Amino acid sequence: MERATRSGPLAGVRVLELAGLAPGPFAGMMLADHGAEVLRVERAATVAAAGDEPRHGVMDRGKRTIGLDLKSPEGVAAFKQLAGGADVVIEVYRPGVAERLGIGPADLHAVNPRLVYGRITGWGQEGPLASAAGHDIDYIALSGVLSALGREGERPTPPINLLGDFAGGGLMLAYGVLLALVERERTGVGRVVDAAMVDGAATLFAMFCPEAQSGRWGARGTNLLDTGAPMYDTYETADGKFLAVGALEPRFWAEMVSLMGLSDLPDRDDRSQWPALRRRLAEAFGSRTRAEWEAVFEGSDACVSPVLEMTEAADHPHNKARGTFVEVGGVRQPAPAPRLLGVPEQDLSPATRLADLSSWGLSAEAQTRLREAGTLV
């Protein structure tokens, strides 16, 4: 299956993405979404089992895939040859694994000094925990961020694996790769990017660090933006659905309470009155359905929005008008972001196996030899 030439700001950038979980594929998706040619390298057995069936996973979109046995000398040699014509490698192993395989930064820079080598781990490439196992929840816990998430008096609540794997991991890796590509234009030399999810999660908390260290940030669930304030929270409606209220500024608050027909409310600037104010709002919001409240607030600056299920979000008029969601291979999914105005839309087709690697520098004879040995699929 041949595809149209890639376009966009990363057109011409070639990325080898070593198969892994969440953050690595997400970084590869972000690069592919903006024009990079991403070749996902998986285990030979995995690709052999899948055959030529398209990969419909959202994070596989816009990519091609091959299977390569990196535990064989021939597979390692082939990977080095591919890296010789690449701009970026995304590596997802624990520290030291790539070096033991013979495809670490030093190994690949020996054949391609311009290569940007992006490494994504939970704990980073050094430190006491560098080689320890972990998951998103562990990384955001050690960063201090998890302690701030949740309601007052309740246990810390992880926001699924968005903060560590995706925002603090994959997105930071993609950002680091772009930094290294920009620097390479000046120096001609590729750099190793050490993207650790614990570092990324900590960075995301930058705005709140001074308050937390000075004591101005209170206990979990008692602050302005962590469900402590009644004007920044969610409320259940009569039909068991929810509204999100973000009426922080006085003028937005005034518009909200006016549209709700509320008066004689407790003073919102008096924190001791927040529980009573929350009860009044909860009672009011619980008196009508979500759809009824949507009609009340439509076109206003009250900062009240419906909490949409993921199955509803794509059909909201605003999201439809912007094309916030697209359909690829029958799967509805978020469109590429951010947008660069004037750049043509990318080919987001599901990933398919790349049968001919000649354009990546691997001769037809070499491919035949590797396929016959089961090293390349």
Side-chain angles (χ1 to χ4, degrees):
M1 175 182 177
E2 295 303 320
R3 289 179 169 166
T5 303
R6 306 288 291 173
S7 61
L10 297 181
V13 173
R14 287 188 153 186
V15 180
L16 285 173
E17 177 197 306
L18 289 161
L21 300 176
F26 184 70
M29 183 198 80
M30 294 294 293
L31 300 176
D33 280 352
H34 294 285
E37 183 181 350
V38 179
L39 181 61
R40 181 171 164 86
V41 181
E42 302 193 59
R43 293 181 178 180
T46 300
V47 175
D52 290 327
E53 287 298 311
R55 308 292 186 85
H56 292 287
V58 174
M59 292 186 293
D60 289 332
R61 68 188 187 191
K63 303 176 184 178
R64 306 302 293 273
T65 186
I66 61 169
L68 194 59
D69 181 6
L70 292 175
K71 293 186 177 180
S72 71
E74 296 80 11
V76 169
F79 187 82
K80 287 182 177 179
Q81 198 164 348
L82 296 174
D87 297 285
V88 178
V89 163
I90 292 177
E91 182 256 293
V92 294
Y93 307 138
R94 288 198 202 187
V97 172
E99 285 80 358
R100 290 195 293 273
L101 289 172
I103 57 172
D107 303 303
L108 300 190
H109 281 150
V111 299
N112 183 0
R114 290 176 54 82
L115 186 71
V116 172
Y117 196 105
R119 320 190 81 167
I120 179 72
T121 58
W123 305 115
Q125 295 298 313
E126 72 280 321
L129 293 176
S131 296
H135 281 295
D136 176 293
I137 192 170
D138 303 301
Y139 312 138
I140 67 173
L142 206 71
S143 74
V145 174
L146 182 56
S147 70
L149 306 179
R151 293 190 176 275
E152 183 180 10
E154 297 183 5
R155 293 174 296 172
T157 304
I160 51 180
N161 62 330
L162 292 176
L163 284 181
D165 281 348
F166 295 105
L171 195 57
M172 289 290 185
L173 174 60
Y175 175 54
V177 164
L178 296 180
L179 293 177
L181 286 172
V182 170
E183 182 191 48
R184 191 183 70 175
E185 292 302 303
R186 298 195 309 268
T187 66
V189 178
R191 185 176 292 277
V192 177
V193 179
D194 176 8
M197 288 176 251
V198 64
D199 298 347
T203 299
L204 293 170
F205 201 66
M207 172 179 169
F208 306 101
C209 276
E211 283 75 15
Q213 293 175 22
S214 68
R216 294 193 301 272
W217 183 266
R220 177 173 55 256
T222 65
N223 303 282
L224 188 64
L225 299 176
D226 65 355
T227 73
M231 58 287 246
Y232 199 86
D233 204 350
T234 58
Y235 292 90
E236 188 171 0
T237 56
D239 51 349
K241 298 181 180 180
F242 294 88
L243 293 169
V245 172
L248 291 174
E249 292 80 1
R251 65 189 183 93
F252 300 149
W253 172 261
E255 186 160 354
M256 183 189 82
V257 297
S258 174
L259 289 170
M260 295 177 72
L262 297 176
S263 59
D264 300 323
L265 290 174
D267 183 4
R268 67 171 234 160
D269 294 326
D270 182 352
R271 287 188 175 230
S272 69
Q273 295 297 309
W274 280 5
L277 181 55
R278 190 186 306 277
R279 286 192 294 271
R280 287 286 304 277
L281 292 178
E283 180 182 343
F285 283 124
S287 68
R288 301 187 194 183
T289 66
R290 191 187 75 183
E292 290 173 327
W293 282 118
E294 287 182 70
V296 168
F297 294 115
E298 184 176 2
S300 76
D301 276 343
C303 297
V304 178
S305 302
V307 178
L308 300 179
E309 301 290 337
M310 286 303 300
T311 52
E312 300 177 288
D315 293 321
H316 188 275
H318 181 81
N319 293 336
K320 290 179 71 172
R322 283 189 56 80
T324 300
F325 293 85
V326 295
E327 189 168 298
V328 179
V331 178
R332 192 177 267 183
Q333 54 196 264
R339 303 180 187 192
L340 278 72
L341 300 186
V343 173
E345 292 183 0
Q346 295 298 323
D347 174 14
L348 301 179
S349 300
T352 53
R353 189 173 67 86
L354 183 58
D356 184 6
L357 290 167
S358 298
S359 65
W360 281 79
L362 214 55
S363 69
E365 293 77 14
Q367 292 179 63
T368 298
R369 185 173 64 254
L370 290 166
R371 293 187 197 283
E372 288 176 349
T375 303
L376 173 66
V377 179

